[in-house]
Amino acid sequence: MASPPPSASDSNGHFAVNIPRHHPDHTDDDAPHRQDDDDELIDPDDPFDITQTKNASHDTLRRWRQAALVLNASRRFRYTLDLKKEEEKEQKKSLIRAHAQVIRAALLFRLAGERELVISTAATPATPVGDYTVGLEQLASMSKDQNVAALQQYGGIKGLSNLLKSNPDKGISGDDGDLLKRKNAFGTNTYPRKKGRSFWRFLWEAWQDLTLIILIIAAAVSLALGIKTEGLEEGWYDGGSIAFAVLLVIVVTAVSDYRQSLQFQNLNAEKQNIQLEVIRGGRTIKISIFEIVVGDVIPLKIGDQVPADGVLITSHSLAIDESSMTGESKIVHKDHKTPFLMSGCKVADGVGVMLVTGVGINTEWGLLMASISEDTGEETPLQVRLNGVATFIGIVGLSVAVLVLAVLLGRYFSGHTKDLDEKPQFVAGKTSISDAVDGVIKIFTIAVTIVVVAVPEGLPLAVTLTLAYSMRKMMADKALVRRLSACETMGSATTICSDKTGTLTLNQMTVVEAYVGRKKLDPADDSSKLDREVLSLINEGIAQNTTGNIFVPKDGGETEVSGSPTEKAILSWAVKLGMNFDLVRSNSTVLHVFPFNSEKKRGGVALKLGDSGVHIHWKGAAEIVLGTCTQYLDSNGDLQSIEQEKAFFKEAIDDMAARSLRCVAIAYRSYELDEVPSNEEDLDQWTLPEHELVLLAIVGIKDPCRPGVKDAVKLCTDAGVKVRMVTGDNLQTAKAIALECGILASIEDAVEPNIIEGKTFRELSEKEREQIVKKITVMGRSSPNDKLLLVQALRKGGEVVAVTGDGTNDAPALHEADIGLSMGIQGTEVAKESSDIIILDDNFASVVKVVRWGRSVYANIQKFIQFQLTVNVAALVINVVASITSGDVPLNAVQLLWVNLIMDTLGALALATEPPTDNLMNRSPVGRREPLITNVMWRNLLVQAIYQITVLLVLNFRGESILPKQDTRAHAFQVKNTLIFNAFVMCQIFNEFNARKPEEMNVFRGVTKNRLFMGIVVMTFILQIIIIEFLGKFTDTVRLNWTLWLASLLIGLISWPLAIAGKFIPVPKTPLSRYILRPLRRLRRSRAAQQ
């Protein structure tokens, strides 16, 4: 079921910065309503109003930083994009690229001169290194200078591989001893990484907070005055206790930040650990990029990253994108004339095999990576918005602090501030200077501490904390986050455009049905009734027209088939038919290859046979290959015209597709050798003939649905997230799988435009696409460009789009989407680099878990905001009212610092790390423009804040008469203030439970599962007991008897039933912020119009 369009009433607008802000389905009747719906519009005057930081300009990012009220910039902006470092990084890259360009220019100049003078280029003589007859310096020099003459002098590829004790076909032996020797002689494929910040650096950054510095200075002055007036034994308590509290805040902050940093470091290391295929001992195996050594033989295909410097062994139409090294987005074609490959470049087209000649720091890419800091941070939309919230609250807090300072100083110097004996604390001409300074410092310290509490410095950092926690947990759920903001945006996703193969299905393919001519093989691998010539042609087409490989162990072990799942299925079928892979390949020579192309849906190869004949083999989407065939070979080996039988073959394809089989056709044609281009340049540009083909076979490949995918799709639908399938497969196959997965509810839904072919969608005008896009559920035979058009049309319709992709050509769609999800197993490196999140197991169920985590991030931040704002409001009001009326504050500097620690660091740890609940998937997606503080949150926090303020002010003004009589008035005053402090902290501990479930009655559900939350609550409670009972000298408190402890607990405990009662208070659907902001925006617009 499609999710409802965003409306004003639910405030779920999902509009990005660069798209029209209207819904195509709205009628003109909605016009007045739309004009009022101001919260859907981006406010150009608000620097914090950024819906998407993906691809945001540096100017936009710089603007919000400058607008934020920040007490500690080095800490606040630690995980945001370091704009200065980013510019330095680009400068370093351009320097290294310039160096590479200079070397190439010098090389071309030298080669041109040598051709004129006919002088041969002498290579540096090979110097033996250990067991190898060529050294590291010679290899590095040859690669960096791209010296073809040196390669020829070493004996070409064959000679060089012999010098490196490798084999161009089978690679190195790959045993532990061999690998160790190679690493010792030529280095490892790693580069020195810049060390992460040490704990001491975090400690230093935590110290940079302006308010904490002021407090330390105030503590030092207070300490000096205290010791001077009261002596060392008693005089150090006031100043020392503030200093100790500040140090405690700094240490706890640094420890929390350091732990986060370690989590990010581990995740960054995981991002760089690329898995790729190498050939060792004749077998194709997968290893980490860091395990590659000199001498390795590596197959390359479209979308791969070149993992090290090397030389081409063989290639077909190989094109390399060297922009990562040269800075120019120019595709360079590689062949035996230009055989050198640079590490870090991407394969743009074709296939090839390379021999590794340089790794790690001995490559230009290694030097580049070692010289730049890889991770320069990134901000998320939520982080930016929270900086806006923190700035607003900070300005209010700063104003309150200035007011308190002015009132207290006025009362102090006017003689209205009295001590416990009702005597003025300051009398002009009588009070000593040191006493006056001491009094002023205490007042100033209180004002500064109010700023510490009032400016929620930890609020934006709570996003980083919850994201770090979520990212670590998401790794366990098989999702690797490359871009932090994607975590959040997934919580707002309204649609997921998913691939079929490997995401909704298992990617475990087997040929279960096969037609050769009109004959259906039963079973599919029964070759007994096939003509020998037909079987020979099928085997030839399968063995040569493939990127897969077959390894037969010499000891007679099980045959190993490698390649993509489709290739493996077809190769395995051919092996069962009796194909000898190596023998068939040795009987012909490959002249030219047309690699499989997702646009054309087929791939081909031209072969030169032993008798100088030429065969051209094609393999691809059954109905497309069938359309290019004019004849077919029957099972007896006789050529027959296909015209009369096309209906039969189409029916066979539709029948297989309706049973969710992927249909692949294999065809060939003979060709004259004279017509094949003879020189290499023309051969590279030659277009393989693709008409008048002879059909050899049609196979049906079964790829079963993943278990649990139907439940995952239902979960998404219930959560208001529409799942759309986008596949290159036949529309009938796509329909069958969509019905099986629950994407299509019934066969009645399987009509246009619910299901549509990519070609049909592509041919529509932009306006027509936007009109039908909401209805599309399945798109078959789609090209990567169709996927891009679908994403663009959905986003223009106001959808927040997540899209999955695995191929190189999917990169534009992954980049365009709000969230790009690449596949960890089948995905190419180009797709992964364009994506925001990598789904490590290629499973759709993992995509749904990412949605759950995205919503959890938002929910956890809201819990923390509700908790923190309750403390802020209560602490500020209590101190302001008390200071204005009595000239004293019940919560002193040390106590406020402890409250700040509970509120900021410990509160964030407890609430920002709540695991996601199933309840999150029962609500609609989070609107990207939905206010951070909802009406429900306002209700909850006001109920708690009003209760706390009322109780604590009653205690402040009537406490001495309510509480049991004490021996002295001074002691009674201290007992009253201690009870206020203790009750205030108890309220926060109990309210932490309320913040867990802002909308639910039962706030205790699942609380025991969150050990961190329980640990922090217990630790806070124990520390509070220690503070009251044993640290009275530091905190200016006295011990409380058990009745007062019970009273404190009871005051805190009442917040639980109060929270339940508060949830019965109805709240309006329209956010409060809209009522406040709408008049302001209208006023701003009218002023702008007048100007």
Side-chain angles (χ1 to χ4, degrees), residues 274 276-277 298-308 312 314-325 330-334 339-354 547 595-596 806-811 827-834:
I274 297 167
L276 45 81
E277 289 184 339
I298 300 174
L300 298 171
K301 58 185 183 299
I302 297 176
D304 284 352
Q305 179 175 312
V306 178
L312 266 184
T314 60
S315 71
H316 297 286
S317 311
L318 187 67
I320 303 290
D321 177 3
E322 293 187 347
S323 59
S324 57
M325 283 308 300
K330 197 169 121 185
I331 305 299
V332 181
H333 290 272
K334 295 287 179 180
F340 293 99
L341 299 169
M342 285 193 294
S343 176
C345 300
K346 306 287 188 303
V347 179
D349 199 6
V351 290
V353 180
M354 70 177 276
T547 53
F596 179 83
D806 51 15
T808 304
N809 295 336
D810 286 331
T828 63
E829 281 312 307
V830 172
K832 287 176 188 174
E833 282 201 9
S834 299

Side-chain angles (χ1 to χ4, degrees), residues 23-31 34:
H23 198 294
D25 296 339
H26 281 308
T27 63
D28 290 335
D29 296 336
D30 297 328
R34 284 205 304 273

Side-chain angles (χ1 to χ4, degrees), residues 501-543:
T501 307
T503 309
L504 296 166
T505 62
L506 280 167
N507 225 358
Q508 294 171 2
M509 299 194 186
T510 45
V511 174
V512 294
E513 213 162 291
Y515 286 83
V516 176
R518 281 182 57 95
K519 189 176 186 66
K520 182 179 178 180
L521 301 187
D522 192 16
D525 52 11
D526 179 15
S527 62
S528 59
K529 292 170 184 157
L530 291 182
D531 179 76
R532 188 175 292 178
E533 188 192 342
V534 175
L535 191 58
S536 170
L537 283 167
I538 289 171
N539 287 343
E540 182 182 89
I542 290 171

Side-chain angles (χ1 to χ4, degrees), residues 507-512 542 561-576 662 664 699-703:
N507 225 358
Q508 294 171 2
M509 299 194 186
T510 45
V511 174
V512 294
I542 290 171
V561 182
S562 60
S564 72
T566 310
E567 296 282 13
K568 281 162 76 174
I570 293 171
L571 285 169
S572 300
W573 176 65
V575 168
K576 288 172 185 172
R662 169 177 276 193
V664 176
V699 295
I701 301 170
K702 181 70 177 170
D703 184 14

